[in-house]
Amino acid sequence: MKAVTWQGRRDVRVEDVPDPRIEEPTDAVIRVTSSGLCGSDLHLYEVLTPFMTPGDILGHEPMGIVEEVGSEVTGLRPGDRVVVPFQISCGHCFMCSAGLTTQCETTQVTGEGMGAALFGYTRLYGAVPGAQAEYLRVPQAQFGPMKVPEGPPDDRFVYLSDVLPTAWQAVEYASVPPGGSVAVLGLGPIGDMSCRIARARGAEQVFGIDLVPERLARAGRRGVKTYDLRAFDDEKALVHAIKDETGGRGPDAVIDAVGTEAHGSAAARLAQQATALMPRAIGAPLAERFSVDRLGALHMAIDLVRRGGTISLSGVYGGMADPIPLLTLFDKQIQMRMGQANVRRWSDLIMPYLTEEDPLGVEDFATHRLPLSEAPHAYEMFQRKEDGAIKILMKPWSL
C-alpha cells in the first residue's frame, strides 16, 4: 500500500509499505477514506525528530471503511463506516473507566514513561504505524472506532478523530461560566474550532488571537472578536486591549491552542533545532531530559486570564525543563488543566452537533483536500502557512 513516511527533518515521502494485517484478536483493518494533517504532525516534521525512525508512517486523524476484524471485535463488521480516535485505548481499564482514555493502562507506553499509545507519533507513544496511508491496522478495535452513518461526506465526521474532541475538551477544561468570556490563543484548527464550540456552548465573549491574516479573517466571520498580534507594540499592549473589553479584569478563561510553536525565546528555538540536527543517539537523550519550549503563548495566557480564572492547555508542549512563573500562578489563584483529548469521553456529546444544519461548520472546515500522493507538498505548505492552509485533508484513494 501507499503511505506517508518520515525520512528525516522536513523530509516526508509517499512510499510503498507492507499492507497491515490482523495481529491480535482485538484488531481491525480499515480502508482509509480521509486522513487529516494535524499541527501536531509538524512537531514530527521538525522538533521531535530525535524520537523518530526513518520509515515511520505518519498520521492520526483517519476515517474509513472496515475491511476485516479480529475474533474479539464484536461491535464492528466489514463495510462499517468508522472514525478512529488518535489514541489507542481499551475502554475497560481503570483509566478508561474514569474517562481518561489518553492514560489507558492497557496501551500505556510504560517503557518511555508515557500515556496511551498514539497512531503515527514517535517511539515515545509506541511507534504505532499511522493513518496517512491507504489502510490502517487499528488495535483495541473493540472500543476505539466510532461508527458513523452512511450518506454525509467524510468532512462531517472525520474531525471526531482529533480536532473536535480536542477543542471540546479545551473548552470543557476552560470552565467558561454561562455568559462568560474566553480568549483563544492561536487560531489554527484547534483554536478555531475551540472558538466555535465556546460560542455554541454559550460563551458571551470569545476573543481570538493570532498573527496569520487568513486565520483571523476566518474566525472573525464566525463572530469571534479577533486580535492581530502584529498590530500591537508588544504582547502587554494586546493584553491591556482585551482586559479593557472585560471590565479591566481579563477573560474568565484562556485556551492556549498554540503550544511549543509559540513565538518566543530564540534560545529555546535554537535548542530545539540543535537537538533535531544531532544524531539520534545524542539528540534524543538531550531532548528528553533537558528540552525547553518557546513559552510565549503560555506566559501571555498567565498575564491575560483574570484572577481566579482558568487556563486550558490544548497546544502541545514537550519541555522537561521549562521555567514556569509559579509565583504569579499562585498569586492570581489560576487553575490550569491540560492533556491530550480523551476522545471517547466526548464523542457522544459532540455527535448532536454534526447535523445537516452544521452549527460548527465542519463541512467547510478544511481549506485544502489533496490526494495522498501530494503529502510532501501538503506538509511543506502547512508548515510555511502558505496558500491559506489552515486544515488539510488527504484522500488515499481517487478524489
Side-chain angles (χ1 to χ4, degrees), residues 166-176 194-195 197-198 201 255 312:
T166 296
W168 186 280
Q169 181 171 293
V171 175
E172 181 73 19
Y173 280 10
S175 300
V176 185
S194 295
C195 291
I197 290 172
R201 294 181 61 181
I255 295 172
S312 173

Side-chain angles (χ1 to χ4, degrees), residues 245-279:
E245 297 287 332
T246 56
R249 288 184 299 271
D252 298 306
V254 176
I255 295 172
D256 174 359
V258 179
T260 195
E261 293 301 316
H263 289 257
S265 166
R269 181 176 68 251
L270 290 172
Q272 291 173 341
Q273 292 173 345
T275 57
L277 292 170
M278 291 177 181

Side-chain angles (χ1 to χ4, degrees), residues 322-341:
D322 293 330
I324 303 296
L326 290 176
L327 174 61
T328 303
L329 289 167
F330 183 84
D331 179 66
K332 291 185 71 173
Q333 203 165 329
I334 293 170
Q335 301 180 71
M336 295 183 70
R337 296 196 71 183
M338 66 194 79
Q340 303 275 11

